[in-house]
């Protein structure tokens, strides 16, 4: 049932994204919108059905012993749970969108655009967006992120389908500034939402959620690279076809949607145990040693940041070669500085204790350490205990790789 839930959620997102993209791409062509409105009304009904499948799958997961279509779990989900209410509202919105398109209101773009926009905004409300605090901020950030992202990807899919059209260049030129705004809005809200869901930067590398999030970012980079080529090369060239770049951007965007759907049903990184996968880690505490600031490292890092900012500035004014040289220098100088902050790490480096930091817990831990650990690690954790039975020094528990920064 979980697979059915994920597949139906993905399919509903894709259909809704296509509807939003169609409205954006054809926003200046009311005659064309009116011509294909019946087909779009059919897609809206399909989206309503797919969201309905999510309701059934969620009810079956909540009550696996009562069957898929048992009225009790379905009613309880729709009436008593937040997710059920959101999914039911989205079903009604898509039915309403189908009715609006079927009666010929597609020529008035504000009505269907408002309906599909609200349906997209509510999409993440039945996922892990409801687990972050403050709740209102989390829902707003996730809603904007998903709505803007789906609208952008939907527009790309529509343009890819019309890449053989004679006026594809004009459609791309009109869509490009809208896409830029949508990507910027989705990226800004997505970064803020990711900070809420991940909370700790090591969770990006040490949890399953973080790994999928990094893969999502990599695919997003591929889509943006294709979009950059379309804007900087194709729109300024009198010849060529945008099909390949549009196909790459659309395929990457659809993959991003699938990863986003998967992430929405995973345990967020802030709640997952971190298993650090690398033998090394960055320890910012090494910038401050024995009460003194380590100026050589700080200067190298600052110089690397200045060079990187300069590279961005040169890129903006289209000084490509100078920008590339500045990036290389920034990586070199900054890399040398970062190497001074590298220390050893282990899978358990970022493990958090389930016990609260309280006096009674510390007193209990002191007794436990004295009984089971001090013989080898020493009374103060310096690795100088006399109880070692193997021929090597015990680990120092106060060394840099065991102290969480």
């Amino acid at each position: 049932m979980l697979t059915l839930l994920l597949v139906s959620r993905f399919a509903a997102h894709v259909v809704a994204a296509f509807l939003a993209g169609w409205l954006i791409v054809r926003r200046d062509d009311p005659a064309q919108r009116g011509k294909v409105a019946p087909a779009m009304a059919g897609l809206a009904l399909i989206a309503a059905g797919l969201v309905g499948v999510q309701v059934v799958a969620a009810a079956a997961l909540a009550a696996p012993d009562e069957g898929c279509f048992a009225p009790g779990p379905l009613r309880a989900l729709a009436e008593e749970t937040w997710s059920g209410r959101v999914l039911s509202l989205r079903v009604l919105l898509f039915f309403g969108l189908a009715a609006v398109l079927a009666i010929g209101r597609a020529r008035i773009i504000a009505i269907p655009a408002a309906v599909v926009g609200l349906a997209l905004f509510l999409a993440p409300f039945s996922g892990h967006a409801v687990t972050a605090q403050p709740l209102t901020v989390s829902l707003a950030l996730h809603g904007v992120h998903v709505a803007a992202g789906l609208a952008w990807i939907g527009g790309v899919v529509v343009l890819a389908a019309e890449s053989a059209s004679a006026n594809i260049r004009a459609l791309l030129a009109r869509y490009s500034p809208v896409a830029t705004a949508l990507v910027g809005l989705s990226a800004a809200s997505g970064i803020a939402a990711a900070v809420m869901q991940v909370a700790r930067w090591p969770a990006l590398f040490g949890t399953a959620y973080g790994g999928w999030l990094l893969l999502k970012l990599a695919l997003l980079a591929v889509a943006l690279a294709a979009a950059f080529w379309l804007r900087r090369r194709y729109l300024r060239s009198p010849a060529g076809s945008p099909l390949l770049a549009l196909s790459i951007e659309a395929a990457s965007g659809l993959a991003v949607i699938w990863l986003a759907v998967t992430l929405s049903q995973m345990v967020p990184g802030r709640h997952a145990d971190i298993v650090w996968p690398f033998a090394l880690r960055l320890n910012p505490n090494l910038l401050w040693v024995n009460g003194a600031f380590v100026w050589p490292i700080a200067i190298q890092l600052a110089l690397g940041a200045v060079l990187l900012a300069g590279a961005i500035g040169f890129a903006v004014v289209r000084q490509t070669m100078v920008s590339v040289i500045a990036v290389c220098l920034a990586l070199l100088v900054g890399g040398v500085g970062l190497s001074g902050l590298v220390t050893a790490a282990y899978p358990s480096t970022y493990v958090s204790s389930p016990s609260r930091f309280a006096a009674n817990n510390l007193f209990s831990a002191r007794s436990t350490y004295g009984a089971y650990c001090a013989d080898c690690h020493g009374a103060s954790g310096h690795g100088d205990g006399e109880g070692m039975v193997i021929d090597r020094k015990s680990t120092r528990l106060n060394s840099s790789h065991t102290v969480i920064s």
Side-chain angles (χ1 to χ4, degrees):
M1 277 299 167
L2 181 58
T3 301
L4 178 61
L5 178 64
L6 292 176
V7 171
S8 59
R9 192 178 181 91
F10 169 73
H13 281 4
V14 171
V15 174
F18 188 87
L19 287 167
W22 171 70
L23 288 170
I24 294 172
V25 172
R26 292 297 183 181
R27 66 187 184 279
D28 297 326
D29 192 353
Q32 180 66 17
R33 291 201 307 272
K35 181 178 179 181
V36 298
M40 296 299 109
L43 284 180
L45 291 176
I46 292 174
L50 289 169
V51 178
V53 172
Q54 295 176 54
V55 175
V56 173
L61 286 171
D65 298 331
E66 299 195 34
C68 295
F69 300 99
L74 286 172
R75 187 181 305 109
L77 178 73
E79 296 178 357
E80 301 175 10
T81 68
W82 173 272
S83 294
R85 295 189 189 102
V86 170
L87 290 172
S88 300
L89 177 57
R90 294 187 69 220
V91 170
L92 294 177
L93 285 172
F94 282 121
F95 274 126
L97 178 62
V100 168
L101 294 172
I103 63 177
R105 294 297 182 184
R107 292 176 179 271
I108 307 174
I109 193 171
I111 299 175
V115 176
V116 74
L118 181 58
L120 293 178
F121 181 79
L122 293 174
F125 284 31
S126 56
H128 64 210
V130 298
T131 66
Q133 296 295 330
L135 179 59
T136 303
V137 175
S138 175
L139 293 178
L141 289 174
H142 284 82
V144 171
H145 172 62
V146 170
L150 289 179
W152 160 55
I153 295 170
V156 174
V157 172
V158 171
L159 289 171
E162 299 192 17
S163 59
S165 172
N167 63 337
I168 183 62
R169 192 180 299 274
L171 291 176
L172 272 170
R174 289 199 300 268
Y175 179 69
S176 180
V178 177
T180 301
L182 290 173
V183 169
L185 192 59
S186 183
S189 56
I191 291 172
V195 170
M196 297 184 71
Q197 294 294 358
V198 175
R200 306 159 294 171
W201 74 266
L204 279 174
F205 304 95
T207 66
Y209 185 93
W212 282 85
L213 183 59
L214 290 175
L215 179 58
K216 177 185 172 185
L217 292 175
L219 288 170
L220 179 61
V222 173
L224 292 179
F228 180 83
W229 182 89
L230 283 168
R231 183 165 184 168
R232 292 292 181 179
R233 300 293 182 182
Y234 175 73
L235 290 180
R236 298 180 181 183
S237 173
S241 172
L243 177 59
L244 179 59
L246 282 171
S247 299
I248 293 173
E249 187 177 357
S252 301
L254 293 174
V256 166
I257 294 176
W258 172 253
L259 290 176
V261 167
T262 304
L263 284 167
S264 72
Q265 304 302 312
M266 293 178 67
V267 176
R270 70 182 187 280
H271 294 312
D273 291 331
I274 296 175
V275 180
W276 189 248
F278 308 116
L280 300 172
R281 72 179 180 98
L282 289 176
N283 184 3
N285 289 337
L286 295 180
L287 271 173
W288 187 270
V289 178
N290 296 326
F293 206 61
V294 184
W295 285 106
I297 296 178
I299 292 173
Q300 289 166 351
L301 293 176
L303 183 57
V306 170
L307 287 169
L308 186 59
I312 295 174
F314 284 120
V316 170
V317 298
R318 299 180 186 175
Q319 296 290 330
T320 305
M321 184 57 65
V322 179
S323 177
V324 171
I325 293 174
V327 167
C328 293
L329 290 175
L331 292 175
L332 178 62
V333 176
V336 172
L338 288 174
S339 66
L341 303 180
V342 172
T343 187
Y346 296 90
S348 58
T349 293
Y350 292 99
V351 171
S352 299
S353 173
S355 301
R356 293 178 61 249
F357 190 80
N360 59 331
N361 290 332
L362 294 177
F363 184 81
S364 175
R366 180 179 181 180
S367 300
T368 302
Y369 180 84
Y372 298 103
C373 310
D375 282 350
C376 296
H377 293 284
S380 301
H382 287 86
D384 53 357
E386 298 178 354
M388 291 294 292
V389 295
I390 57 176
D391 188 20
R392 71 178 181 86
K393 188 175 178 63
S394 180
T395 301
R396 290 180 52 133
L397 298 181
N398 55 1
S399 60
S400 61
H401 69 270
T402 60
V403 180
I404 304 295
S405 61

